[in-house]
Amino acid sequence: MNRIKTDLCIIGAGSGGLSIAAGAVQMGASVVLLEGHKMGGDCLNYGCVPSKALLAAGKQAHGMATGAKFGITPIEATVDYAAAKDHVKNVIDTIAPHDSVERFEGLGVNVITEYGKFISPTEVQAGDNIIEARRFVIATGSSPFVPPVPGLDTVPYETNETIFELRDRPDHLLVIGGGPIGMEMAQAHIRLGSKVTVIEGMKALGKDDPELAEIALERLRAEGIEIAEDALAAEIRGTAGAIEVETKDGRIFKGTHLLMAVGRKPNIDRLNLEKAGIEFTRAGVTVDASLKSSNKKVYAVGDIAGGLQFTHVAGYHAGIVIKSALFGMPAKQRTDHIPWATYIDPEMAQVGPTEAQAREMHGDKVEVVRFKYSENDRAISEGKTTGMIKVMVVKGRPIGASIVGAQAGDLISVWALAIANKLKMSQVAAMVAPYPTLGEVNKRAAGAYFTPRLFDNPRVKTIVGLVQKFLP
């Protein structure tokens, strides 16, 4: 066995692990990084990157068929599904060098391409190596959760880890799960020429504001996606090319391919956490606000930490760990300012509580302001008027925002910034946005907060009247 002593040992080379490794080694710490599978983790290889690339291919095909309102003769796109998958692979290959073993070794990180497991509270084994570190970081991420639906073990199915390798276009894709992954893949495939049925046990896009989710679902249904809600899968049967899903209420859905997209599970199985005295649950490693586990020498970041499962959260966690583990400074995570987005068309984005959650938290103190995309000049000029923003305000400060519409994932950043820094609505309203841009949606929403206070206020009118009398 080869014994290695280091300042920091990171298990997992996904978004969180890579961010910590790069930051720590460049600040002077010795770092060992363990990865037994693919550098870049789920985001690069099976998640954010390939899904957005496939959605982009679908967007191009959709645009060819929907140009009539602009005076462009619609053309039914001829889709080469395998070539679209080549585009996905090219995107991954373009980004991959940034996450590669070679780059990180060039930075000075000792990269070991083996899975890591704890053998004591202060040691991890990876292949023929035993690493003893001052601090450890578990950044092993998550994998698709596949529920034990009767019959599924005899039927071929895809997950987000396999569907991007599929070369032949599904004739009819059945998607079990109406969350972000399921709905993104549903729209990508309907636009690339597949028939698509989404089977959701509860409500599709159920974690988003229901008023805004309905706007998105109406568009998805208009594109031809069948969305069955309150449809809990009870049995799956068939063979490749002929698959049936029967729900508890007796409905039967038939298709050629099946995608399971019902959630994620933490990658804890290989870690041998008991040997290190690390507490965990089905959600992941149990951590405190500083991301430390029950073994105070061990941190957990990203999906494995049992909270919000987004790449940007792992990156945010990285900053907390670097501050704590490298500088010994107190650092705690917060979640109220963490945004997320679903990249369907129209996009959906959220930061902080939804309207219902805000009212549950703050009762009558909550004011909700709205602004519609149909009142934005840029949206009108580009035919992107489907959408709305809602901002939840308490005592003049935004605490949450929900957006459905074009570029919602970009627009939500303003509200994440405002909430992170406890800005007031007046400070957002003071922003000058270039005209005409979709960014004006945010400014107009902030302005809507002040409209009744300024224009529907008799006291303001009285004051203005008096001032006008005495002005020279």
Side-chain angles (χ1 to χ4, degrees), residues 5-11 20 29-32 118 121-124 131-138 292 295-299 321-322 324-328:
K5 286 191 174 183
T6 187
D7 293 326
L8 199 61
C9 177
I10 302 165
I11 308 172
I20 296 169
S30 58
V31 179
V32 173
F118 285 93
T122 59
E123 296 171 307
V124 163
I131 301 97
E132 182 180 347
R134 293 178 184 276
R135 298 287 185 273
F136 293 90
V137 179
I138 302 173
K292 290 181 180 179
N295 179 339
K296 298 308 177 184
K297 289 182 175 292
V298 181
Y299 296 84
V321 170
I322 286 175
S324 175
L326 267 63
F327 296 98

Side-chain angles (χ1 to χ4, degrees), residues 271-394:
L271 293 171
N272 219 9
L273 296 176
E274 297 92 342
K275 289 281 188 180
I278 298 171
E279 296 178 3
F280 62 95
T281 67
R282 291 172 58 186
V285 175
T286 303
V287 296
D288 61 18
S290 63
L291 299 173
K292 290 181 180 179
S293 71
S294 52
N295 179 339
K296 298 308 177 184
K297 289 182 175 292
V298 181
Y299 296 84
V301 301
D303 290 6
I304 197 72
L308 297 171
Q309 295 182 327
F310 304 109
T311 296
H312 49 281
V313 171
Y316 166 62
H317 284 173
I320 294 171
V321 170
I322 286 175
K323 186 177 180 181
S324 175
L326 267 63
F327 296 98
M329 298 172 63
K332 294 183 178 181
Q333 68 165 325
R334 50 185 285 211
T335 58
D336 61 319
H337 66 311
I338 301 292
W340 66 88
T342 302
Y343 297 93
I344 52 176
D345 178 11
E347 288 184 8
M348 299 198 69
Q350 179 72 40
V351 64
T354 62
E355 178 182 356
Q357 291 166 341
R359 293 195 186 284
E360 185 176 337
M361 293 163 61
H362 299 282
D364 294 340
K365 295 179 181 178
V366 177
E367 293 182 69
V368 179
V369 292
R370 292 173 166 82
F371 185 78
K372 295 182 178 179
Y373 272 60
S374 58
E375 298 176 43
N376 174 270
D377 292 356
R378 181 64 176 273
I380 293 169
S381 67
E382 295 192 3
K384 298 176 180 178
T385 54
T386 298
M388 177 194 295
I389 178 173
K390 295 168 64 172
V391 183
M392 281 53 72
V393 186
V394 175

